[in-house]
Amino acid sequence: MNGEDDYNEPYEDSGNDWEEDHLERELLHSDSSLDESDVIEEEYLVPIKEPQNEASSSSSDYQPLAKLRRKDSNIVFPKKVNLKGKNGHKWTSKQPILSKRVSSRNIIHFIPGNKGESRNCSSIKECFLHFFYDNVLEIIIRHTNEEIVRQSSKYATSSATVTNICKDELLALLGILIFSAAKKDNHLNTKHMFEGTVSGSFYRACMSRERFAFLVNCLRFDDKITKEERKKSDSFTYIHQIWNMLMEICRSSYTPASYLTIDEQLLGFRGRCPFRMYIPNKPSKYGIKIVMLCDSLSKYMIDANPYLGKSTNTGGLPLDNFYVKE
């Protein structure tokens, strides 16, 4: 035959593949022109099965040496189907059965989302009061009133400006602080904040400017009498108790998804703080750095710790390892 008939004629196996391979290996070993480093020993060769497809086994493409590969190449052909690693992990070269039932250890047995009492929160106020619940507010009210009593003694006459604070007034104060931060008014002087032509009537509808300035000056989150002693061992003692209560309710109110993220955030703050940081490439530049653990799916903050600067006790661990374990 000639022409197309010769090209399309499939290669017929003569049954002498083993003899051909054996002769080729003998020729490689007996070739005097090869160095010892160029000789491929038989024990480092792995036979590869010849493809059964007739199109891929034509006479023009047939190469007997292509059936041999070095064992130290990138392609590994284990003699066993199942292998066991040094750590006890089992490996297999067999493709898993897709119709097989999924193992129970690979099934997620939880549903991400709200849990506990947080499921009943349907409004913004209910969500806020879920995190700042009565126990947290009572601690702030108690220590703020203690400071109000100390400062009210400096006034010659008593007035509504220097009276004790209640729960409703504390919520109004927190609302003004949050709203002013959202409206970017927190950098303004209190005189401009409560000026109707500048900021409208929202702030004046809650309380007077004198009362707001007095309460902000008296706002306390811990016991001032024992603060100096506690500050020697903990620079975060001013708000440590309130912070722990807030993180506890954050952890217990939400079930995160399978993927979490640990990263830092600089909260803008220019007041007096022993661990305030200056990072020039951040938008706020001055503030408190918080290391947060958040859910990658919903961006919910599960846990957080402030960076206390040099006073951070890492127990000898690098800073990254310490916060990841925390």
Side-chain angles (χ1 to χ4, degrees):
M1 296 183 180
N2 54 14
E4 292 184 7
D5 296 334
D6 291 340
Y7 180 80
N8 294 328
E9 183 179 3
Y11 168 75
E12 296 181 0
D13 191 0
S14 60
N16 298 327
D17 290 345
W18 180 87
E19 295 179 1
E20 292 178 1
D21 295 346
H22 186 68
L23 290 174
E24 288 172 357
R25 287 197 293 270
E26 287 183 352
L27 290 174
L28 287 173
H29 285 286
S30 62
D31 191 0
S32 58
S33 63
L34 296 176
D35 297 334
E36 292 182 357
S37 60
D38 297 331
V39 177
I40 304 176
E41 297 180 1
E42 182 179 357
E43 60 181 359
Y44 289 95
L45 297 174
V46 179
I48 300 178
K49 292 182 179 181
E50 188 177 347
Q52 300 297 328
N53 188 4
E54 294 182 359
S56 62
S57 60
S58 61
S59 59
S60 60
D61 298 333
Y62 175 68
Q63 297 178 0
L65 282 178
K67 295 190 293 182
L68 299 175
R69 296 289 185 271
R70 292 181 63 92
K71 281 186 177 179
D72 56 353
S73 65
N74 295 331
I75 304 176
V76 178
F77 299 93
K79 297 181 180 179
K80 297 181 180 180
V81 177
N82 297 322
L83 299 176
K84 190 174 183 180
K86 293 182 179 180
N87 59 352
H89 189 80
K90 294 181 179 180
W91 301 86
T92 180
S93 61
K94 185 185 297 184
Q95 185 178 2
I97 302 174
L98 300 179
S99 60
K100 186 179 178 181
R101 195 174 191 179
V102 180
S103 178
S104 60
R105 66 173 178 269
N106 295 331
I107 299 176
I108 299 176
H109 296 279
F110 61 90
I111 300 176
N114 298 355
K115 65 179 181 179
E117 297 180 358
S118 62
R119 294 182 177 180
N120 301 326
C121 299
S122 58
S123 63
I124 297 177
K125 181 179 179 181
E126 291 178 353
C127 293
F128 180 82
L129 293 178
H130 174 72
F131 293 95
F132 290 87
Y133 51 98
D134 291 341
N135 293 343
V136 176
L137 297 177
E138 287 176 2
I139 294 175
I140 300 175
I141 292 173
R142 181 172 69 252
H143 297 307
T144 301
N145 285 332
E146 292 173 356
E147 184 64 21
I148 289 175
V149 171
R150 283 189 289 267
Q151 294 197 18
S152 62
S153 60
K154 302 177 183 179
Y155 290 81
T157 58
S158 61
S159 61
T161 304
V162 296
T163 56
N164 288 347
I165 192 173
C166 62
K167 179 181 177 181
D168 293 336
E169 195 172 19
L170 176 61
L171 292 177
L173 176 63
L174 296 177
I176 292 177
L177 296 176
I178 295 173
F179 186 79
S180 63
K183 297 288 289 184
K184 306 296 182 182
D185 292 340
N186 50 353
H187 67 283
L188 296 176
N189 189 288
T190 54
K191 181 179 180 180
H192 292 155
M193 281 182 59
F194 285 82
E195 180 66 30
T197 57
V198 177
S199 303
S201 60
F202 176 81
Y203 302 115
R204 291 189 301 171
C206 296
M207 61 184 66
S208 64
R209 181 176 68 88
E210 293 78 10
R211 178 63 173 173
F212 173 78
F214 180 77
L215 291 179
V216 169
N217 189 27
C218 296
L219 192 63
R220 295 292 183 273
F221 303 93
D222 66 330
D223 190 3
K224 187 177 181 178
I225 299 175
T226 61
K227 179 176 61 179
E228 295 298 328
E229 186 66 24
R230 291 182 283 108
K231 190 171 61 175
K232 297 178 182 179
S233 58
D234 183 14
S235 58
F236 194 53
T237 187
Y238 299 98
I239 198 174
H240 210 158
Q241 183 182 6
I242 301 294
W243 182 270
N244 290 338
M245 297 173 70
L246 179 61
M247 292 301 105
E248 182 180 357
I249 196 66
C250 286
R251 290 190 295 266
S252 62
S253 299
Y254 189 82
T255 301
S258 302
Y259 300 100
L260 306 178
T261 300
I262 298 178
D263 204 352
E264 61 184 30
Q265 181 181 0
L266 186 70
L267 300 180
F269 181 71
R270 289 180 175 266
R272 291 181 298 174
C273 182
F275 45 87
R276 187 188 63 179
M277 300 191 63
Y278 170 70
I279 304 179
N281 59 346
K282 297 289 186 180
S284 300
K285 292 183 174 56
Y286 290 92
I288 301 174
K289 187 168 75 171
I290 309 293
V291 183
M292 299 180 177
L293 173 68
C294 299
D295 183 14
S296 299
L297 183 63
S298 63
K299 315 301 184 296
Y300 177 84
M301 187 188 73
I302 304 166
D303 202 350
N305 274 333
Y307 175 63
L308 306 179
K310 296 181 179 179
S311 62
T312 303
N313 184 14
T314 61
L317 294 174
L319 199 62
D320 297 340
N321 296 1
F322 169 74
Y323 278 113
V324 169
K325 289 187 176 182
E326 284 291 311

